[in-house]
Amino acid sequence: MMKMGGLYGHRNINDEHLKKWIIDWNPKEYVDSCLNYFKIQETEEINSFLTKQVETVKEIASNISVSDESYLFDELMKFMTEAMFYCYFRFDSSTAYCGNFYEVLIGFADESTKKKILKGYDYIEAGGISLEKDGERIGHIGMMSDLFWHTFYDQYIVENNGAIEHIRNNEKDITLQIWGENLFEGKDQFNELIERILFECNVTLELNFKRTRFESDSRLEGEAKRGILSLTDIKLEDTPLRYFNFANYTKIPRHKYLAYYQVLEFFFPRIVKEARFSRPSELLIVEYIINNTFTELDIIGWLQDKADKGNHFIEPVQNYPTLTPITNTDILNLISKRIYIVRCSLVHAKEAPKDVNFIPNLNDDVIEKELALIKFVAEKVLYKWSKVNEM
């Protein structure tokens, strides 16, 4: 059968890969996934019921045969539950996986690329890019597959008081599908392949794509919040204020972090002049700012107020030993060092071990957790060091 992409991209799944993959399903993973996802109490009856669901699909996969006009996956889908897709088909938070088939959520990096791929306004017609290697078709960029829709159904649809509501427009989302054999081994090589494809789209086709992800907050119904903002008479310098606000212009954690850090950086010249450093270094300047803006009690109080977010800063960060936990001794210098280390890992790209540099798309979850601290510091530094009235 002719290979195809887009809506029917999953039909490129190799039948033998598919059978073996399903037969290897671990029922315990499904039971645990259902208990966690649907927030239900574990009982022997529920365990038995869920286990039987998995064993039934595994048995069907072992014995089913299909005609030349049909596809094995389409037939097996009829026996799968929604929860099976959530459990087994999610390679990561924005990638679907099945046998030899992978599908990644990506986005348009600019409006020009979007208009070249999508046609229309309310009703969308999607184009696509066929991916080839050595003359063989191995993937596709364009409309998502039916498999991806089922795998991340709960990111597009919610049930609200019995009504079905759309929380995301699947017609305007695009994915990158890969189904070729022996293209990579393991998750690291998979991610490298995706980055290389995005790079070659950029330099060869002048089409700019980026990896993206689902945001958990999009599933919230919202609050229709109303409030009152009583403006203060506090005067702040315009330039560092703009750096602070620029963090809200991007969703990318590393860009947010650098925007907040630039609030501190703006004041470096006057810090050097005030401190009279003979040989100032960036770390020395950051330490001076922190020690002359905060007390240890300020930081302790902030960590306590942050509850679960605060725990990230007082406990070791897995895989990142350079992020020294903030203990009860030498708090201000520990914070200074931590901020400086994160800043260096984002600004500099010199070759280094993976637990030193924060690499784009690989460490966003860690950087995102670091944002609370640098935002708090930037806010207080902006208040402390702004000298509008003296200028």
Side-chain angles (χ1 to χ4, degrees), residues 64 85 132 304:
I64 194 172
F85 281 94
E132 297 183 352
Q304 291 173 342

Side-chain angles (χ1 to χ4, degrees), residues 292-323:
N292 287 275
T293 303
F294 300 94
T295 67
E296 291 193 346
L297 289 178
D298 292 332
I299 303 301
I300 292 172
W302 179 80
L303 289 171
Q304 291 173 342
D305 289 342
K306 284 297 175 182
D308 59 327
K309 287 186 179 180
N311 291 336
H312 168 76
F313 299 100
I314 63 177
E315 298 171 353
V317 179
Q318 189 176 10
N319 298 328
Y320 291 94
T322 54
L323 295 179

Side-chain angles (χ1 to χ4, degrees), residues 27-62:
K28 180 68 164 56
E29 291 180 15
Y30 181 65
V31 172
D32 291 343
S33 175
C34 288
L35 295 176
N36 180 64
Y37 186 87
F38 296 106
K39 309 297 182 187
I40 53 180
Q41 187 69 34
E42 181 176 8
T43 66
E44 187 174 333
E45 290 77 14
I46 288 176
N47 284 0
S48 176
F49 174 74
L50 295 174
T51 299
K52 188 174 181 180
Q53 286 185 336
V54 175
E55 295 297 347
T56 298
V57 176
K58 292 172 69 171
E59 184 178 353
I60 293 171
S62 300

Side-chain angles (χ1 to χ4, degrees), residues 85-101:
F85 281 94
Y86 298 165
C87 173
Y88 296 116
F89 288 74
R90 292 185 176 182
F91 186 69
D92 60 31
S93 62
S94 60
T95 304
Y97 158 67
C98 178
N100 65 311
F101 180 84

Side-chain angles (χ1 to χ4, degrees), residues 10 24 27 34 69 101 176 202 227 258 263 268 288 290 301 323 335 363 367:
H10 59 279
D24 288 341
C34 288
E69 286 77 35
F101 180 84
L176 191 165
N202 184 321
L258 291 175
V263 175
F268 280 7
Y288 188 92
I290 299 298
L323 295 179
I335 284 180
N363 318 110
I367 303 171

Side-chain angles (χ1 to χ4, degrees), residues 374-386:
I374 188 64
K375 180 182 179 181
F376 171 67
V377 169
E379 175 196 344
K380 300 305 179 185
V381 167
L382 183 57
Y383 285 134
K384 167 76 176 181
W385 294 91
S386 284

Side-chain angles (χ1 to χ4, degrees), residues 146-377:
D146 199 37
L147 180 150
F148 193 88
W149 166 257
H150 283 282
T151 302
F152 293 104
Y153 178 82
D154 61 344
Q155 300 298 325
Y156 292 93
I157 300 293
V158 294
E159 293 187 25
N160 187 14
N161 297 321
I164 301 295
E165 298 194 37
H166 293 259
I167 55 176
R168 189 182 178 104
N169 189 340
N170 62 294
E171 292 186 353
K172 293 186 178 181
D173 270 350
I174 58 169
T175 60
L176 191 165
Q177 302 170 359
I178 294 291
W179 60 74
E181 299 285 343
N182 304 316
L183 293 172
F184 58 88
E185 291 183 7
K187 196 166 187 177
D188 286 346
Q189 286 192 13
F190 168 74
N191 286 318
E192 290 170 8
L193 174 62
I194 300 304
E195 293 296 333
R196 191 167 73 249
I197 292 171
L198 298 183
F199 169 77
E200 294 197 18
C201 278
N202 184 321
V203 300
T204 304
L205 303 179
E206 295 187 352
L207 296 174
N208 304 316
F209 302 102
K210 61 184 179 180
R211 294 193 69 166
T212 186
R213 57 180 177 168
F214 296 109
E215 297 184 41
S216 58
D217 284 353
S218 65
R219 287 179 48 80
L220 301 176
E221 186 177 4
E223 301 177 37
K225 187 174 182 178
R226 299 177 185 275
I228 297 174
L229 173 64
S230 297
L231 296 178
T232 69
D233 292 326
I234 297 175
K235 295 182 179 179
L236 302 172
E237 290 186 44
D238 182 68
T239 300
L241 179 62
R242 288 175 181 270
Y243 283 126
F244 188 95
N245 285 343
F246 184 74
N248 288 330
Y249 284 68
T250 176
K251 292 184 178 181
I252 301 173
R254 63 195 301 114
H255 293 168
K256 284 181 175 290
Y257 195 97
L258 291 175
Y260 289 131
Y261 184 85
Q262 286 175 318
V263 175
L264 281 64
E265 196 172 23
F266 174 83
F267 296 108
F268 280 7
R270 71 183 63 165
I271 296 299
V272 172
K273 183 178 180 180
E274 176 178 301
R276 299 182 179 180
F277 292 125
S278 57
R279 300 182 64 182
S281 67
E282 186 143 354
L283 176 58
L284 194 62
I285 298 171
V286 171
E287 287 176 343
Y288 188 92
I289 292 178
I290 299 298
N291 278 277
N292 287 275
T293 303
F294 300 94
T295 67
E296 291 193 346
L297 289 178
D298 292 332
I299 303 301
I300 292 172
W302 179 80
L303 289 171
Q304 291 173 342
D305 289 342
K306 284 297 175 182
D308 59 327
K309 287 186 179 180
N311 291 336
H312 168 76
F313 299 100
I314 63 177
E315 298 171 353
V317 179
Q318 189 176 10
N319 298 328
Y320 291 94
T322 54
L323 295 179
T324 308
I326 299 171
T327 61
N328 288 328
T329 57
D330 202 23
I331 290 177
L332 299 181
N333 285 331
L334 284 175
I335 284 180
S336 303
K337 184 178 179 182
R338 188 175 183 121
I339 289 173
Y340 174 73
I341 286 173
V342 175
R343 172 264 178 197
C344 287
S345 71
L346 297 177
V347 171
H348 300 305
K350 295 186 290 291
E351 184 176 10
K354 286 187 177 180
D355 60 354
V356 174
N357 282 348
F358 289 115
I359 302 169
N361 294 327
L362 294 184
N363 318 110
D364 287 355
D365 57 335
V366 179
I367 303 171
E368 201 156 23
K369 292 177 181 177
E370 293 291 318
L371 287 175
L373 176 61
I374 188 64
K375 180 182 179 181
F376 171 67
V377 169

